[in-house]
Amino acid sequence: MSEPLRDLLNAPGVAAVFDAIVKDGDEAWLVGGCVRNALLGEAPSDIDVATQAEPETVMARAEEAGLKAVPTGVEHGTVTLVVDHTPIEVTTLRRDVETDGRRAVVAFSRDVVEDAARRDFTMNALYVNQQAALHDPVGGLADLEARRVRFIGDAATRIREDYLRTLRYFRFYGWYGHGAPDRDAIKAIVANKAGLASLSAERVWAELKKILLAPHVTRSLLWMRQTGVYQAALPESGDMDGFARFMRLEEATGVYPDPLLRLMALLPAQASERVKALATRLKLSGAERDRLTAAMETDAALDSLVLSEPKPLRTALYQHGERAIRDVLILQAARALDADPEQNLPEGEADRVTRMWNLADTWTKPSLPVSGKDLMARGIPSGPQLGTALKVMEGAWVASDFSMTRDELLAVLKT
């Protein structure tokens, strides 16, 4: 157990931060996701440090040690120290004074137990000091080893402190949970799901994307539906059968998990109005909105047979673009599968989809070998006649699977 923790302490910048702030009776600990991941044998995410030193003291000691200190959240006790371009968040131990379901008023503390009591899940309240000693004030290690996602203390109280914790629960369950979810957590989630309405769209969408990336996303979504959270968070979605088919194909083809593509698999086919409503409600970025819209429009325009062979696939790529075709390719293929999860995929289907996906992924849009200048040089005047002639050229070129040369295309003009 101590070896991964020692490795964590050797992560870039960690020793320098401890050396700077552990003095004059103030202790410090690595805490949260980095400790959790290290114990699971996974790469640590962001490095977080908890300390008894207050923010002003942390900043003064960091500057004395030659470290850059950024006051990223001093009112909540957080200072970001930058060591060789590596940011490490250092937060003073805290206790909650007041919460409203979205934000908390905190007071600084010197007690790790008080700090742990305000965190969300037991597996996120594991503390490691500079000597690699693990401090576990709320039984998080046993829960982590059992892959049990459990709220600290009373689950309903934790949720009412920040209603986003309902979605965070299903995110952690999808990433780290095994077996059935914690019964107390599910009861508290059902009793408090109305609080989701108080959250900002940005926070909800950010959490949904993390849920959609989880290795066990289907299990999380099923429990979200069971509790009513799924319907509250994604009212535009369709049935789960389509998503289960998509996940079977994603696994068989090795397509890299993509939260936006998985979201598309949750939406009914060609439901453009629902997509617009979802994009507006969750305040999706312009790029996210454009990708969803393009996929829906392309899906409506193309029959699945169009994407089954290389030549028509290349035509579709030229007309609709690589990103939309890749999305629609796997969505349509998944839709055609048997809904029974016990049924194997048709023989060769995963290989076929993989080949088509790879073709789309590596495809580069070619340029029409003739231009308006070429046609004008042959006596076609600028204007509608020129545009029509270019379209004829382009149609012949696309029909040839982009193989016709400039001279061959100009010969079409003569005929």
Side-chain angles (χ1 to χ4, degrees):
M1 195 69 71
S2 61
E3 195 59 38
L5 298 182
R6 288 196 181 93
D7 290 343
L8 181 60
L9 286 164
N10 289 326
V14 171
V17 168
F18 272 105
D19 289 344
I21 63 177
V22 177
K23 58 180 60 176
D24 299 334
D26 291 329
E27 294 294 327
W29 301 262
L30 292 168
V31 66
C34 62
V35 178
R36 178 196 66 233
N37 285 12
L39 291 172
L40 290 172
E42 299 176 0
S45 51
D46 297 336
I47 302 293
D48 291 305
V49 173
T51 182
Q52 292 171 322
E54 296 195 4
E56 293 78 6
T57 302
V58 171
M59 293 186 69
R61 290 175 180 170
E63 290 169 1
E64 183 182 343
L67 305 181
K68 181 179 179 181
V70 183
T72 44
V74 171
E75 67 278 8
H76 292 103
T78 300
V79 176
T80 299
L81 303 187
V82 183
V83 186
D84 294 331
H85 307 290
T86 300
I88 295 178
E89 281 199 353
V90 179
T91 302
T92 305
L93 298 177
R94 301 171 291 181
R95 67 176 185 277
D96 285 341
V97 174
E98 181 182 338
T99 59
D100 63 2
R102 295 179 68 181
R103 306 174 191 84
V105 176
V106 300
F108 299 142
S109 170
R110 296 187 63 80
D111 188 349
V112 167
V113 175
E114 279 190 329
D115 187 75
R118 68 175 301 279
R119 293 177 180 269
D120 48 12
F121 310 118
T122 58
M123 64 173 61
N124 290 338
L126 296 165
Y127 299 73
V128 175
N129 68 12
Q130 200 171 12
Q131 290 72 44
L134 180 67
H135 189 42
D136 179 14
V138 292
L141 183 58
D143 286 335
L144 184 64
E145 290 174 340
R147 296 298 188 114
R148 179 172 52 241
V149 184
R150 185 170 62 87
F151 282 103
I152 293 169
D154 179 64
T157 300
R158 295 287 81 75
I159 290 172
R160 287 193 291 269
E161 289 168 351
D162 183 353
Y163 288 110
L164 192 69
R165 285 174 174 170
T166 289
L167 294 176
R168 280 176 59 81
Y169 182 86
F170 290 111
R171 189 236 292 189
F172 276 80
Y173 180 61
W175 278 94
Y176 307 111
H178 284 177
D182 180 71
R183 184 176 301 177
D184 290 338
I186 294 300
K187 286 181 180 178
I189 286 168
V190 170
N192 292 280
K193 65 177 181 286
L196 290 169
S198 68
L199 298 172
S200 70
E202 293 86 351
R203 294 184 79 201
V204 171
W205 177 227
E207 202 61 42
L208 284 173
K209 282 191 281 191
K210 294 172 184 175
I211 291 171
L212 288 168
L213 270 178
H216 303 294
V217 58
T218 303
R219 188 171 59 192
S220 277
L221 292 173
L222 287 171
W223 276 101
M224 285 173 68
R225 186 176 66 174
Q226 189 77 6
T227 57
V229 170
Y230 178 72
Q231 296 87 329
L234 280 174
E236 301 86 0
S237 61
D239 64 69
M240 291 291 294
D241 287 344
F243 187 74
R245 288 195 289 266
F246 170 85
M247 291 302 296
R248 287 169 61 205
L249 190 62
E250 181 190 82
E251 181 179 0
T253 57
V255 171
Y256 193 77
D258 180 333
L260 212 60
L261 183 55
R262 286 181 173 182
L263 175 66
M264 293 180 206
L266 287 169
L267 298 170
Q270 303 174 18
S272 57
E273 292 306 312
R274 290 200 193 189
V275 169
K276 291 176 184 176
L278 179 146
T280 300
R281 182 179 62 82
L282 291 179
K283 298 184 179 179
L284 270 59
S285 70
E288 290 169 337
R289 181 192 298 264
D290 290 347
R291 182 177 166 193
L292 284 177
T293 302
M296 283 292 169
E297 291 174 351
T298 302
D299 191 14
L302 295 179
D303 184 277
S304 60
L305 292 175
V306 171
L307 305 182
S308 63
E309 296 294 336
K311 181 177 177 180
L313 176 61
R314 284 189 286 268
T315 300
L317 284 163
Y318 182 79
Q319 294 171 338
H320 298 279
E322 168 264 339
R323 178 73 271 177
I325 292 299
R326 280 199 297 159
D327 289 339
V328 171
L329 175 65
I330 193 166
L331 290 171
Q332 290 188 348
R335 213 177 290 144
L337 296 179
D338 194 299
D340 184 357
E342 299 300 318
Q343 289 289 329
N344 293 326
L345 268 62
E347 186 175 352
E349 178 66 359
D351 288 340
R352 182 192 71 80
V353 173
T354 300
R355 284 196 306 274
M356 295 298 100
W357 175 278
N358 289 338
L359 191 157
D361 193 35
T362 57
W363 188 78
T364 300
K365 186 175 182 177
S367 297
L368 183 64
V370 295
S371 67
K373 287 183 178 180
D374 292 324
L375 302 189
M376 290 172 68
R378 282 158 175 75
I380 297 179
S382 177
Q385 189 177 348
L386 180 64
T388 300
L390 278 171
K391 285 189 179 298
V392 170
M393 298 274 144
E394 185 179 37
W397 178 62
V398 171
S400 75
D401 199 17
F402 313 101
S403 64
M404 292 181 71
T405 65
R406 176 177 176 276
D407 290 341
E408 288 171 335
L409 287 170
L410 292 174
V412 170
L413 180 65
K414 294 175 183 177
T415 60

